[in-house]
Amino acid sequence: MTTACVISNYNYARFVGDAVDSALAQAVPFDEIIVIDDGSTDGSVELLASRYAQHQAVQIVCKDNAGQLSCFNEGFARTTADIVFFLDADDMYEPNYVEQALEVYDRDPALDFVFCQHRRFGQQDRLQARFSQDRDLGYSVILTACLREWIGAPTSCLSMRRNVLEKILPLPFLEAWRTRADDCLVFGASLAGARKYCLAPPLVRYRVHGDNQFFGRSQEACAVYRRRLAINVLFEHLERKFGYNVERLAEVHHREFRTIASPTFRQLLKYVRVSRGCRISHFRRLSCLADMISHFLRTALASQSRAGDAASPSLDHESTPPLRVFGPRESAANSDARPTEHRRYAA
């Protein structure tokens, strides 16, 4: 199983060397490291050429500035790897990140999309950990199509199989996604039918600095409005591409819920919302609800049995809130109050 790391850079000459070095320092080496420079004017290209041009595993690609999504398109087009990882030029990997992710992919070939938790560093030092242990999050086609749930992590924490990315990229909406384009990967993977998994350890270091393009910045009303338009276009494009009839798709929401190995109560509530919106008979709705509640209780009891007198993972007693994707009224369709560290790429 081969691996590639796609690094997107725009005017981060002071950081991009650390990012590339962290990719090169992996305990299990990448087969390909592709650095996409998006028209930098700060000496990034010269630095990359001087440090890595002769490195066999590193490919440096220079192109005109077109934003983050264009870098994803270009980087993926140049990979041949089975598993593709993404890294922002101002972030860093922990040395065992690829090793741990590959263990998950090797252990279960049905898993398509693996992301990890992260630690902020730089102007902040904070662990961003919302799960106390690894989690198989199952499939999320229906939850994403119906509620536009965002189930993932920042760009640098994402990896997925090539066969999933081939269903998503390239995307044509470059201007709309000059920044925050990891939405395209996260939403796209769900709609493409990827089975998702979260690694609990913070295996990525997320840099907080004065030039973050999204972190810590308030979003103007016009920017929020444009983003919602862009999300609507993205969903319309992907749903048409995959041939979904969302209304009919929702009728099997209970079956998707059962793919989650140990669902939380918040996740159960999300699928109850989907159930309430379905155009199905009252008897069918009650049957679906009973099926989901049965799965929730059965997995909760199994978890308690395995953990002895420890708290059930299904109830997730965590020191920090659960992933926002499962919180009420916090889907991409209804709010822009998602964690702000997710978006920093300079346009």
Side-chain angles (χ1 to χ4, degrees):
M1 189 159 49
T2 57
T3 58
C5 176
V6 174
I7 302 176
S8 305
N9 178 67
Y10 177 71
N11 283 346
Y12 277 160
R14 62 197 186 281
F15 302 137
V16 67
D18 291 341
V20 178
D21 287 345
S22 76
L24 287 169
Q26 290 300 298
V28 176
F30 281 110
D31 296 286
E32 305 168 341
I33 298 174
I34 302 172
V35 185
I36 308 296
D37 186 84
D38 194 34
S40 295
T41 58
D42 67 342
S44 290
V45 174
E46 292 78 9
L47 180 145
L48 290 166
S50 65
R51 291 177 62 168
Y52 307 108
Q54 304 306 314
H55 201 292
Q56 189 173 10
V58 179
Q59 180 183 166
I60 302 167
V61 180
C62 301
K63 67 178 195 63
D64 293 338
N65 178 257
Q68 191 178 27
L69 179 57
S70 72
C71 292
F72 292 168
N73 286 343
E74 184 70 25
F76 179 60
R78 292 175 177 268
T79 69
T80 60
D82 302 312
I83 308 292
V84 180
F85 293 74
F86 294 86
L87 179 60
D88 280 339
D90 51 347
D91 294 336
M92 299 170 63
Y93 289 151
E94 296 294 351
N96 60 336
Y97 173 39
V98 174
E99 180 180 30
Q100 291 202 32
L102 287 181
E103 286 177 359
V104 174
Y105 284 115
D106 281 332
R107 186 170 65 244
D108 191 345
L111 290 170
D112 307 296
F113 181 104
V114 176
F115 63 95
C116 69
Q117 302 185 117
H118 65 279
R119 177 181 290 278
R120 297 179 190 170
F121 77 107
Q123 294 182 0
Q124 288 190 14
D125 184 3
R126 180 179 176 184
L127 177 64
Q128 293 298 109
R130 293 173 174 82
F131 286 130
S132 58
Q133 58 185 354
D134 294 358
R135 281 191 173 275
D136 182 346
L137 299 170
Y139 295 95
S140 50
V141 176
I142 296 171
L143 196 63
T144 300
C146 294
L147 301 184
R148 295 193 175 180
E149 290 299 315
W150 194 95
I151 304 174
T155 301
S156 301
C157 302
L158 305 179
S159 69
M160 67 185 86
R161 294 190 188 271
R162 181 176 196 84
N163 63 339
V164 174
L165 274 168
E166 287 175 338
K167 299 176 183 178
I168 305 168
L169 300 178
L171 283 167
F173 314 114
L174 303 186
E175 188 60 32
W177 296 101
R178 294 183 68 87
T179 62
R180 305 180 71 170
D182 49 349
D183 277 356
C184 299
L185 300 179
V186 172
F187 286 138
S190 287
L191 293 174
R195 182 174 160 198
K196 294 188 173 185
Y197 191 94
C198 177
L199 279 166
L203 300 172
V204 167
R205 299 181 65 197
Y206 179 100
R207 192 191 302 265
V208 178
H209 54 88
D211 294 328
N212 294 113
Q213 295 300 306
F214 188 80
F215 179 85
R217 297 176 184 267
S218 60
Q219 296 297 298
E220 297 179 352
C222 290
V224 173
Y225 174 70
R226 288 194 300 270
R227 174 175 175 268
R228 292 185 181 181
L229 292 179
I231 289 174
N232 188 67
V233 172
L234 176 67
F235 271 72
E236 179 72 18
H237 171 80
L238 292 174
E239 287 167 3
R240 184 171 59 251
K241 180 177 182 178
F242 298 139
Y244 292 142
N245 179 322
V246 176
E247 184 176 304
R248 297 301 302 270
L249 188 67
E251 295 177 5
V252 293
H253 61 283
H254 60 298
R255 298 192 183 278
E256 181 173 282
F257 181 75
R258 290 172 64 90
T259 70
I260 304 173
S262 185
T264 66
F265 184 66
R266 289 173 182 262
Q267 287 171 297
L268 174 62
L269 291 180
K270 290 292 184 181
Y271 281 91
V272 170
R273 282 180 59 193
V274 175
S275 183
R276 290 173 59 188
C278 288
R279 294 186 178 182
I280 54 179
S281 69
H282 292 306
F283 178 80
R284 175 78 184 279
R285 182 174 291 106
L286 288 174
S287 177
C288 291
L289 290 173
D291 186 65
M292 293 191 295
I293 292 170
S294 173
H295 176 63
F296 171 75
L297 293 176
R298 184 168 55 254
T299 56
L301 290 173
S303 295
Q304 287 179 331
S305 177
R306 287 193 298 268
D309 58 354
S312 169
S314 293
L315 300 179
D316 242 358
H317 297 284
E318 300 166 335
S319 58
T320 54
L323 280 175
R324 284 182 179 269
V325 67
F326 302 129
R329 295 182 301 281
E330 292 182 345
S331 71
N334 302 320
S335 172
D336 287 274
R338 299 215 327 270
T340 55
E341 70 268 22
H342 291 177
R343 313 283 176 263
R344 301 158 304 153
Y345 188 88

